[in-house]
Amino acid sequence: MKALTANRLLDGEVVFWNEGRWVEQFSDAQLFDDADPAGEEAVATGKSQPTVIVEPYLIDLTETEAGPVPVSYRERIRALGPTNHPTHGKQAEANAVNAAIAHAEGAARSTGRLDLIRRK
Amino acid sequence: MPKLIKRDADGQFAAAEDAFIDIREEDGVPAAIPGNGPVILSLARFQEEGDALLSGGRQVGVRIASNEAIEDLAYDLPRLALVALEFPKYRDGRAYTSARLLRERFGYTGEIRAVGDVLREQAGFMVRCGIDAFEVSDGSSPEEWAAATHRYRHVYQRAADSRAPAWKERA
Amino acid sequence: MYRYDEIDREFLADRANEFRLQVGRRLAGEITEDQFKPLRLMNGLYLQLHAYMLRIAVPYGSMDSRQMRALADIARRYDRGYGHFTTRQNIQFNWTKLADAPDMLDALAAVDMHAIQTSGNCIRNTTSDPFAGATAEEVDDPRVWCEVIRQWSTLHPEFSYLPRKFKIAVTAADHDRAAVKVHDIGLILKRGDDGSLGFEVFVGGGQGRTPYVAPSIRKHLPVDQLLSYLEAILRVYNRHGRRDNIYKARIKILVSSLGAEEFTRQVEEEWSKIDVAAANLPDTELARIRAAFAPLPFQALPATSEAFEAAKADPAFARFARNNVRAHKQPGYAVVVVSLKKVGDTPGDASADQMDLVADLAETHSLDDIRVTHEQNLVLPHVKLDAVPTVYAALAAAGLATPNIDLASDIIACPGLDYCALANARAIPVAQDIAARFDDDRADLVGELKIKISGCINACGHHHVGHIGILGVDKKGEEFYQLSLGGSGAEDASLAQILGPAVPANRVADAVDTLVETYLTQRSGEERFLDTFRRVGLAPFKEAVYAEAH
């Protein structure tokens, strides 16, 4: 399972792709099967929107009891907000998916991880 | 075709015709030198063939790669038509040092041309280091180069241009 | 405080205008992200995990109340009510919007501040002793020379596209509070044998992936030769520093591969060719800059204060006076260190209200002077001893009087993976876990102990020079932490040695506990943790930590 993420150009907000629009909550993100070409197509669409978002990439998801959550803790922190300020970022919105992300453990490295120097 | 912009002694920027042919290697094979018009050669090629071309009355410029020492050209400067400094990437700042040394250490007064990844964001730095011709790679115009160069009313340090640093303005 | 004049102000206005145009071109799609990124980085604007981050320069860590209030205002208006003071004596805002950044630069320029060269492969903000101008130890005020360097390095036409970033630190005291030996260039002001003022010049120190303590390349550079000599060093580096590998591009790698002797020879040779009369600042300008640091109106006071001594009847104040108050050169005054390390809070963070309070206290009680330390605390450098109890009470009410300066809970931590796009692991929660193990009594019992945490190999949290250094690593996708011991960024600079295999996040605080208990067992007399480590070596610490793991 994968989801498409990026940062919004105007304010840097973490956003996720859903059927042609960018949404702010992971719980609203469109999910792609690993083999589904729609994921890469969405990346291409994202790359054609350089005045809307910056550096779109797919992230790996893992199944939990409460549904799919990002595999890597880096992406979980992006999906929620900083752990030292529990009211800052997306985690301020209480929903079941956010709760699942917050409790996810046993991370593996996401293939969606970027070249970090480039990312800066 | 990259556009050539020149800055004259009065600091005015204008589009310029480029009479020079830049002789580059193609697939490791040195290109032939055509006709008898002005040419730009790599440092190695100049060291091999420069004398012959110059004594034939040809205008010759030399292109210095960013990892080459400008000192190697010191004795030839009076007979060169121009020195082209390569910016393989705009981030490669070695050519700024080469330009300053040409102006300040070797007293070179001929054309110094920036070639390669030449962007208007670098205009202020290039002009201050003594570069006065720009083979721009971002399609920018002479007006944009003039604006970029004059964006700052003050500078803090002396360089190869004639601008008075802040401490001189204050005195 | 150095007073900006019209030239400095017009320069900052021009810079802000330039960035506004660049942002406009980016938002309009006229330039790509690849073209825009270096432009925003030159203005300290990073794209981090949750938002943009704006890093604002606090030149040599010095500011006044007006500037601190402007930072508080920015925190409220453009951020989420707080900012993060860094190991480069700067401040970062974590929730910046690109669309707001030009307005933020305007707001900064209005109080003579900026974000110039807080990122990029250029000469960064020069750091210095946070007690400059207040400590009796110093032979001269290092800020004068920092300001000389600030002006010279600002948009330097030759040295703005170096192989890699470049950091300079200046101090003038025997006690090094600026970590000068782990900088690209470290300058220590000293008197020569003939009494003349000069710099001992250290080049090629640094942290990051490959840490080095800088060798000294010149024992006594006459102070008026500073700029020509810097020009020689930077020119050798600009020409010969590696550009093919980002991890080998810092000047420390050049110095190390050439050897200090050959590097020095090349610098001296280059220097001999420079027209030094033109390259150095004339004495008149040096004098003008010195004079622009307005002399402070110290009052003639007795060396001791009854009010200060009487307040020590309160054990909490006595502890604060012991741990957070330092000697001042002027009788009757003290240096007060404001702790941004309240246990449970984020190291280095200050809320807008706290910033305003510090500004008020500085204006009323510290001759309008505030400093940022590289250890992520603030300093009120010129407080009358009589006023220290009042200042303490105000700080304590705002959570700024934790009596832990240089103690185990005074931890340096980078933002780590909670904010930073480069990080491999979090640093803040680890610092919070460790600090929670050290209440005031235990911290006092343990004494000086510098714990420094970085969330990745870039070492913004200075883990290589921690008495206990902690480096976050990503081990098969999980947060692990590598411990190291025996580093120091002070005058006795040394690099920490790795203790052993990395431990998981939930074991770090236990491991630190074990290290501290081992120290307490081994301690002889008044030894600091660092001294004991240097005497007994790694073995007993290693045994204690890894024995428990079995």
Side-chain angles (χ1 to χ4, degrees):
Chain A
M1 227 39 139
K2 291 182 189 297
L4 174 61
T5 186
N7 289 78
R8 200 157 54 201
L9 174 66
L10 209 54
D11 57 7
E13 178 80 30
V14 174
V15 288
F16 301 92
W17 178 260
N18 186 346
E19 305 277 2
R21 40 188 203 106
W22 294 100
V23 297
E24 293 187 9
Q25 285 285 339
F26 175 74
S27 54
D28 295 330
Q30 183 180 350
L31 308 180
F32 302 100
D33 282 332
D34 287 346
D36 186 353
E40 288 298 339
E41 285 162 22
V43 172
T45 308
K47 283 184 176 161
S48 72
Q49 302 180 344
T51 59
V52 180
I53 49 101
V54 179
E55 293 207 53
Y57 60 100
L58 291 169
I59 56 171
D60 292 331
L61 309 180
T62 185
E63 202 59 58
T64 69
E65 282 177 14
V69 302
V71 168
S72 79
Y73 57 82
R74 180 177 195 271
E75 291 306 330
R76 295 203 295 267
I77 287 172
R78 281 184 78 245
L80 291 178
T83 59
N84 68 322
H85 277 289
T87 60
H88 290 172
K90 302 164 192 309
Q91 58 199 337
E93 180 179 313
N95 65 47
V97 176
N98 280 356
I101 301 173
H103 292 105
E105 279 181 32
R109 188 177 281 116
S110 170
T111 54
R113 196 147 190 256
L114 290 185
D115 175 338
L116 296 177
I117 296 289
R118 193 166 62 82
R119 164 84 195 189
K120 175 175 81 167
Chain B
M1 203 42 197
K3 286 199 296 185
L4 186 65
I5 294 174
K6 288 193 183 185
R7 178 178 185 270
D8 67 20
D10 298 325
Q12 302 300 309
F13 288 83
E17 286 299 316
D18 187 3
F20 285 78
I21 297 174
D22 192 347
I23 311 294
R24 288 185 178 262
E25 288 191 353
E26 279 168 30
D27 301 327
V29 181
I33 298 176
N36 51 15
V39 291
I40 298 174
L41 305 178
S42 68
L43 179 60
R45 189 89 185 259
F46 173 77
Q47 286 168 338
E48 281 170 30
E49 301 177 46
D51 271 338
L53 291 166
L54 286 163
S55 48
R58 197 192 289 251
Q59 282 191 286
V60 177
V62 177
R63 178 169 20 86
I64 299 289
S66 63
N67 62 353
E68 290 174 332
I70 199 70
E71 284 84 349
D72 292 347
L73 209 54
Y75 295 116
D76 295 306
L77 289 171
R79 45 189 200 149
L80 297 184
L82 65 86
V83 178
L85 298 178
E86 249 179 316
F87 288 81
K89 289 178 185 159
Y90 76 87
R91 272 184 250 257
D92 185 338
R94 287 176 281 193
Y96 294 110
T97 292
S98 299
R100 274 193 79 180
L101 294 183
L102 279 171
R103 294 293 187 219
E104 295 177 55
R105 190 161 295 171
F106 301 118
Y108 178 68
T109 55
E111 176 179 324
I112 303 179
R113 181 183 293 192
V115 301
D117 196 9
V118 178
L119 311 173
R120 70 170 123 158
E121 266 69 37
Q122 274 66 54
F125 297 132
M126 288 184 174
V127 168
R128 294 221 65 213
C129 288
I131 298 171
D132 57 0
F134 316 90
E135 209 176 276
V136 302
S137 59
D138 63 351
S140 47
S141 67
E143 294 71 31
E144 286 165 338
W145 275 70
T149 307
H150 297 124
R151 186 144 289 143
Y152 290 89
R153 286 167 279 180
H154 308 283
V155 295
Y156 276 113
Q157 59 294 95
R158 100 189 202 298
D161 59 353
S162 58
R163 293 191 72 174
W167 62 265
K168 260 195 180 158
E169 282 192 81
R170 287 168 179 143
Chain C
M1 276 293 295
Y2 178 77
R3 300 289 162 197
Y4 278 26
D5 65 9
E6 216 36 46
I7 289 175
D8 297 302
R9 296 205 174 97
E10 288 180 355
F11 189 93
L12 294 189
D14 292 346
R15 176 64 163 202
N17 286 337
E18 178 183 50
F19 190 57
R20 187 176 292 279
L21 290 172
Q22 290 165 343
V23 171
R25 287 166 65 202
R26 173 69 182 97
L27 295 178
E30 292 168 26
I31 48 176
T32 65
E33 182 62 17
D34 280 350
Q35 290 168 324
F36 178 62
K37 184 161 55 178
L39 306 179
R40 65 168 160 76
L41 287 176
M42 283 286 196
N43 286 284
L45 193 63
Y46 290 73
L47 180 53
Q48 297 287 35
L49 294 184
H50 315 293
Y52 292 90
M53 180 270 279
L54 181 65
R55 180 182 297 153
I56 295 162
V58 181
Y60 33 97
S62 173
M63 65 177 135
D64 62 18
S65 60
R66 180 186 60 130
Q67 293 173 324
M68 184 64 101
R69 287 194 189 101
L71 295 176
D73 194 45
I74 285 174
R76 286 194 191 92
R77 190 149 23 136
Y78 300 108
D79 206 87
R80 302 204 172 173
Y82 67 106
H84 176 75
F85 288 97
T86 76
T87 49
R88 221 134 186 89
Q89 298 176 302
N90 290 324
I91 182 170
Q92 299 175 171
F93 288 106
N94 291 315
W95 298 95
T96 303
K97 295 179 166 70
L98 176 60
D100 287 339
D103 293 339
M104 294 168 80
L105 291 193
D106 282 348
L108 290 167
V111 294
D112 304 338
M113 294 185 88
H114 61 81
I116 298 171
Q117 290 169 212
T118 55
S119 178
N121 294 336
C122 51
I123 302 168
R124 303 287 188 86
N125 184 31
T126 299
T127 51
S128 190
D129 184 350
F131 298 174
T135 176
E137 289 175 55
E138 66 194 15
V139 296
D140 189 25
D141 191 331
R143 293 172 302 165
V144 172
W145 304 101
C146 292
E147 177 60 24
V148 168
I149 296 169
R150 180 193 75 81
Q151 297 195 21
W152 168 78
S153 64
T154 297
L155 292 199
H156 196 290
E158 186 181 347
F159 303 133
S160 288
Y161 293 94
L162 297 167
R164 199 77 177 88
K165 58 188 167 184
F166 204 90
K167 300 176 177 179
I168 303 176
V170 188
T171 190
D174 292 338
H175 188 161
D176 179 1
R177 286 170 289 258
V180 300
K181 289 177 191 167
V182 284
H183 276 76
D184 295 288
I185 296 180
L187 299 169
I188 303 182
L189 276 154
K190 292 179 173 173
R191 293 259 171 222
D193 296 337
D194 59 354
S196 68
L197 210 49
F199 295 103
E200 181 167 7
V201 181
F202 296 83
V203 180
Q207 303 202 46
R209 185 169 295 251
T210 324
Y212 285 99
V213 172
S216 167
I217 71 161
R218 201 164 226 280
K219 293 293 174 207
H220 189 80
L221 176 74
V223 282
D224 60 356
Q225 300 296 309
L226 176 63
L227 291 189
S228 60
Y229 203 73
L230 290 181
E231 186 170 310
I233 295 171
L234 268 294
R235 186 166 290 146
V236 168
Y237 172 54
N238 192 41
R239 300 185 84 177
H240 303 301
R242 284 183 64 169
R243 290 174 185 267
D244 59 331
N245 182 340
I246 189 174
Y247 301 119
K248 297 187 173 174
R250 295 287 290 269
I251 196 173
K252 61 193 176 186
I253 303 295
L254 179 66
V255 173
S256 154
S257 65
L258 290 176
E261 200 173 321
E262 170 60 16
F263 176 80
T264 307
R265 192 197 62 74
Q266 292 189 15
V267 168
E268 296 280 331
E269 183 184 355
E270 173 59 34
W271 193 40
S272 72
K273 293 177 184 167
I274 290 176
D275 177 356
V276 294
N280 292 322
L281 276 188
D283 290 342
T284 47
E285 175 66 2
L286 292 176
R288 191 201 63 79
I289 289 176
R290 189 176 289 278
F293 284 87
L296 295 173
F298 290 118
Q299 292 172 17
L301 297 172
T304 55
S305 152
E306 282 174 30
F308 180 75
E309 296 304 324
K312 287 183 184 170
D314 170 7
F317 178 78
R319 197 193 293 267
F320 179 82
R322 192 166 66 243
N323 292 338
N324 294 37
V325 176
R326 300 284 189 268
H328 198 284
K329 65 180 178 183
Q330 187 74 19
Y333 285 80
V335 177
V336 174
V337 185
V338 177
S339 175
L340 298 182
K341 308 295 177 64
K342 185 181 169 197
V343 174
D345 283 2
T346 301
D349 275 17
S351 71
D353 290 346
Q354 288 176 324
M355 291 182 217
D356 275 339
L357 174 76
V358 171
D360 290 346
L361 292 174
E363 195 172 28
T364 313
H365 295 294
S366 183
L367 303 179
D368 207 19
D369 202 344
I370 303 163
R371 307 295 171 77
V372 183
T373 77
H374 86 271
E375 293 179 322
Q376 300 180 288
N377 291 309
L378 299 175
V379 172
L380 296 169
H382 314 294
V383 181
K384 284 180 193 169
L385 279 173
D386 286 343
V388 173
T390 310
V391 168
Y392 164 74
L395 291 174
L400 292 169
T402 311
N404 62 351
I405 300 309
D406 295 338
L407 304 184
S409 54
D410 182 10
I411 298 171
I412 291 184
C414 71
L417 192 59
D418 281 306
Y419 295 92
C420 179
L422 297 175
N424 287 324
R426 285 173 292 168
I428 294 166
V430 176
Q432 290 169 329
D433 281 355
I434 295 169
R437 307 289 180 100
F438 294 93
D439 63 18
D440 291 350
D441 283 337
R442 185 166 186 232
D444 253 349
L445 174 73
V446 172
E448 183 182 307
L449 175 54
K450 301 197 174 188
I451 302 176
K452 309 190 183 205
I453 309 174
S454 305
C456 78
I457 194 71
N458 291 306
C460 296
H462 290 187
H463 63 276
H464 293 300
V465 293
H467 298 179
I468 298 176
I470 301 174
L471 166 66
V473 295
D474 175 328
K475 206 167 171 179
K476 293 184 183 150
E478 290 194 59
E479 291 170 297
F480 270 68
Y481 295 85
Q482 191 175 70
L483 302 172
S484 51
L485 300 184
S488 170
E491 60 279 5
D492 58 351
S494 60
L495 300 172
Q497 301 168 35
I498 293 172
L499 183 69
V503 301
N506 60 10
R507 287 261 301 115
V508 179
D510 288 341
V512 170
D513 251 350
T514 304
L515 291 171
V516 168
E517 289 306 319
T518 306
Y519 153 65
L520 291 175
T521 315
Q522 302 271 345
R523 172 159 73 178
S524 159
E526 296 289 293
E527 273 183 344
R528 302 173 299 165
F529 179 95
L530 183 62
D531 303 322
T532 300
F533 170 80
R534 284 175 174 170
R535 181 171 55 77
V536 306
L538 205 60
F541 295 98
K542 187 171 184 164
E543 260 167 46
V545 167
Y546 293 103
E548 285 189 358
H550 295 302

